[in-house]
């Protein structure tokens, strides 16, 4: 495994690589089994796998969140080597943003709801960094976790505006044994909030069970109340949306793919999760 920190080192590594068999996994580090599942999938589908580890400042709307974001470069390199990554790209902020990125992306309604509505500027920052990384790596396939469900829709929409874009491969959510979706931010939970957090997935699963007797709006309310009944958790939103447009659905029959998406505050930590309804 080669670790590189600059664009020129990365270019040098990729010079001899067949890009039509190149896979790419962008991450912000503090890696866990969820990230590694993407690397594994990329290894299965590609000859060479590049993983980037970069905490992208432009996607943080809250400076405190950026400051507190967990970082563990040493362990990241150990687990990536074990997972079979070929090249790790670990740039610093100056390397990624030699000049401030002033690009403003237009995602129509896609970024006006859920994460986009509650974290202003977040998806613009995601699009900035992902488009830069795609231009540098030029992979055939890029692997993204469904944990960040809306992000996949944003990245796909962004690719429509690019000349050359990779195939976006969505990968299933990896969970802890108690159901909590794995996240780098879980490390920031207090033991009490960590014990409470699996209630998010429990409530969403209970919501799926109610589909037969409730409308989507009623299930939204049911799941929200169930999560909020734990005093350590506070729902920021729980929305049942069309899986392509991210627009709320009124009836279960309105769409071929329907997802329930949640953001929940657990103490100082903001957690997201989602579940398939239809
Ligand atoms: P992050 O480092 O949080 O930006 O995540 C990097 C990539 O890993 C994104 O595509 C995430 O969706 C994905 N990812 C994060 N957590 C999980 C998980 N629990 N299961 C599957 N993929 C995940």
């Amino acid at each position: 495994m080669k670790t590189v920190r600059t664009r020129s080192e990365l270019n040098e590594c990729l010079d001899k690589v067949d890009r039509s068999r190149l896979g790419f996994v962008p991450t912000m580090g503090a890696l866990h089994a969820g990230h590694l599942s993407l690397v594994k999938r990329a290894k299965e589908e590609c000859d060479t796998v590049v993983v980037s580890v970069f905490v992208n400042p432009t996607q943080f709307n809250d400076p405190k969140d950026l400051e507190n974001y967990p970082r563990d470069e040493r362990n990241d390199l150990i687990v990536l080597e074990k997972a079979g990554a070929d090249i790790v790209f670990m740039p610093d902020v100056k390397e990624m943003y030699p000049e401030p990125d002033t690009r403003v992306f237009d995602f129509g309604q896609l970024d006006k709801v859920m994460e986009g509505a509650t974290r202003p500027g977040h998806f613009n920052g995601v699009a900035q960094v992902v488009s830069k990384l795609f231009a540098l790596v030029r992979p055939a396939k890029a692997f993204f976790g469904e944990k960040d469900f809306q992000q996949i829709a944003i990245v796909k929409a962004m690719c429509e505006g690019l000349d050359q874009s990779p195939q976006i491969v969505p990968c299933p959510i990896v969970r802890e044994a108690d159901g909590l979706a794995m996240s780098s931010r879980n490390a920031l939970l207090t033991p009490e909030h960590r014990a409470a957090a699996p209630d998010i997935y429990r409530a969403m699963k209970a919501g799926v069970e109610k589909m037969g007797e409730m409308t989507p709006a009623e299930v939204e309310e049911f799941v929200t109340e169930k999560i909020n009944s734990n005093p350590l958790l506070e729902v920021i939103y729980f929305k049942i949306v069309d899986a392509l447009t991210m627009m709320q659905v009124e009836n279960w029959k309105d769409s071929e793919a329907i997802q329930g998406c949640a953001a929940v505050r657990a103490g100082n930590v903001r957690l997201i999760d989602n579940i398939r309804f239809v």
Side-chain angles (χ1 to χ4, degrees):
M1 184 177 85
K2 259 200 129 66
T3 304
V4 295
R5 295 185 186 271
T6 65
R7 291 162 183 253
S8 58
E9 285 174 310
L10 179 66
N11 281 336
E12 219 172 285
C13 274
L14 289 175
D15 232 12
K16 304 138 216 130
V17 164
D18 175 4
R19 265 151 153 138
S20 72
R21 304 278 311 155
L22 180 62
F24 177 46
V25 180
T27 81
M28 298 207 298
L31 301 178
H32 50 68
H35 296 112
L36 300 180
S37 74
L38 307 188
V39 178
K40 188 164 168 263
R41 177 82 176 268
K43 283 294 284 182
E44 284 162 11
E45 296 192 18
C46 305
D47 289 347
T48 306
V49 174
V50 177
V51 179
S52 63
V53 175
F54 177 63
V55 181
N56 172 38
T58 73
Q59 73 187 69
F60 284 81
N61 53 311
D62 173 359
K64 268 220 181 93
D65 186 26
L66 173 61
E67 197 181 309
N68 294 336
Y69 198 82
R71 292 160 210 249
D72 193 351
E73 201 176 297
R74 248 172 64 111
N75 189 62
D76 289 349
L77 289 174
I78 294 169
V79 296
L80 284 175
E81 173 110 59
K82 271 198 203 140
D86 298 288
I87 300 166
V88 182
F89 180 45
M90 280 186 164
D92 65 15
V93 175
K94 262 250 135 344
E95 192 66 26
M96 283 308 290
Y97 297 101
E99 307 290 335
D101 192 339
T102 54
R103 288 175 298 162
V104 178
F105 292 79
D106 182 2
F107 294 114
Q109 285 307 304
L110 271 188
D111 69 343
K112 305 292 182 291
V113 297
M114 301 195 291
E115 288 302 274
T118 56
R119 299 184 67 191
H122 168 63
F123 284 128
N124 202 64
V126 168
Q128 287 176 342
V129 77
V130 173
S131 60
K132 275 172 177 281
L133 289 166
F134 281 1
L136 286 171
V137 180
R138 284 187 279 130
K141 293 185 180 187
F143 298 80
F144 288 84
E146 286 180 335
K147 159 93 181 347
D148 298 274
F149 195 78
Q150 194 176 4
Q151 174 170 275
I152 294 183
I154 293 283
V155 170
K156 282 184 175 166
M158 184 200 80
C159 283
E160 280 169 17
L162 298 178
D163 285 343
Q164 261 188 335
S165 63
Q167 180 193 338
I168 305 303
V169 184
C171 303
I173 301 176
V174 178
R175 298 180 180 281
E176 301 286 357
D178 59 15
L180 175 63
M182 287 192 185
S183 164
S184 303
R185 287 191 167 87
N186 292 352
L188 303 173
L189 292 166
T190 65
E192 293 75 23
H193 289 103
R194 173 63 189 82
D199 278 359
I200 301 167
Y201 185 51
R202 270 181 218 131
M204 292 197 304
K205 277 203 299 190
V208 172
E209 297 298 312
K210 294 284 180 195
M211 270 179 69
E213 52 188 284
M214 289 182 179
T215 65
E218 287 166 347
V219 173
E220 284 181 354
E221 202 178 315
F222 169 81
V223 172
T224 301
E225 278 175 13
K226 213 168 169 61
I227 297 172
N228 282 338
S229 71
N230 186 325
L232 295 175
L233 303 176
E234 188 193 340
V235 173
I236 299 166
Y237 63 78
F238 175 68
K239 300 234 186 281
I240 295 179
V241 299
D242 177 284
L244 292 179
T245 65
M246 304 296 136
M247 292 294 107
Q248 274 171 281
V249 292
E250 275 178 28
N251 300 296
W252 300 113
K253 290 205 176 85
D254 284 356
S255 174
E256 277 171 28
I258 296 178
Q259 205 81 6
C261 300
V264 176
R265 192 156 290 288
N268 291 327
V269 185
R270 191 180 184 285
L271 299 173
I272 58 169
D273 199 352
N274 63 84
I275 196 166
R276 179 93 189 242
F277 275 83
V278 174

